[in-house]
Amino acid sequence: MVYSVEQNTFIVMSYYRNGTFVDGAWLYSVAACKQEYLANYPDLEIQETSLEAHIRDVINRFVRTGNVNKGKSSGRPAVSEEVVDDLRERLEQNPQTSLTRLSQQSGVPVTTCHKVVKKRLHMHPYKITTVQQLLPIDPPRRVEYCNWFQNTFHDDGLLDLTFFSDEAWFHLSGYVNSQNFRIWSAENPHVFVETPLHPLKIGV
């Protein structure tokens, strides 16, 4: 049975109203409170043993919290400022740290790290931009190639000599995958990484 606030309030008032002062101390009776409750709510069908247990729960809650009804759960405890500062320092020292690694280093769950970084630190995961490394000899070569291609594009058989393969290449010069690489920062750091036009790699 679900008791209303009015019913629980009546229980508290009845419990203390029926108390007696004996030998310098107040004595209260659950039985007297139960009888007055049943007399005030005669139409309710309820087991007396269940009512007695409920009366004890309401009185204990009132003594402990000052409320007659159960309050809402406070939920998960809030993240302390010490934890927030610790995560901030770790990301400032290494902005490229992933949330999984940050969780392992700090002992804070990954979901909590994500909420703190996004909502408390206002940081975002920015992608790194990969650009081709240009050497001093590259600009004139590019102009020369463009002129050659423009003059020979319409020649028969040129496109027949162009082919594409599905080979896999393993880079030997520290290849950066921009899809997986992130930098946590409150503002876009605009990080660029130059890669050579013909890096050392192995094709399989």
Side-chain angles (χ1 to χ4, degrees), residues 20-87:
T20 56
F21 192 75
V22 179
D23 296 333
W26 283 97
L27 300 179
Y28 302 98
S29 172
V30 173
C33 177
K34 179 187 67 175
Q35 295 302 324
E36 186 173 3
Y37 181 89
L38 293 175
N40 192 74
Y41 298 98
D43 298 332
L44 297 180
E45 296 182 0
I46 185 174
Q47 296 181 355
E48 294 189 13
T49 55
S50 175
L51 177 58
E52 290 180 0
H54 179 70
I55 291 174
R56 291 188 176 90
D57 290 341
V58 171
I59 297 303
N60 290 335
R61 186 186 310 122
F62 180 77
V63 172
R64 186 176 65 256
T65 66
N67 297 320
V68 296
N69 274 21
K70 293 181 179 179
K72 293 183 178 180
S73 174
S74 59
R76 295 182 179 180
V79 180
S80 64
E81 290 298 329
E82 289 77 7
V83 173
V84 176
D85 292 339
D86 179 61
L87 296 180

Side-chain angles (χ1 to χ4, degrees), residues 102-160:
L102 183 65
S103 173
Q104 295 172 350
Q105 294 175 347
S106 62
V108 179
V110 176
T111 53
T112 303
C113 288
H114 184 265
K115 291 180 180 179
V116 170
V117 172
K118 295 282 288 186
K119 297 182 179 181
R120 301 282 291 275
L121 301 181
H122 305 289
M123 291 184 175
H124 305 279
Y126 291 98
K127 285 186 178 182
I128 190 172
T129 302
T130 304
V131 296
Q132 181 180 326
Q133 182 184 21
L134 294 179
L135 301 176
I137 196 175
D138 289 331
R141 283 185 174 181
R142 288 193 171 192
V143 174
E144 180 182 356
Y145 176 80
C146 290
N147 291 332
W148 170 83
F149 190 83
Q150 185 177 13
N151 295 330
T152 59
F153 177 74
H154 299 290
D155 292 350
D156 295 336
L158 176 61
L159 295 181
D160 294 337

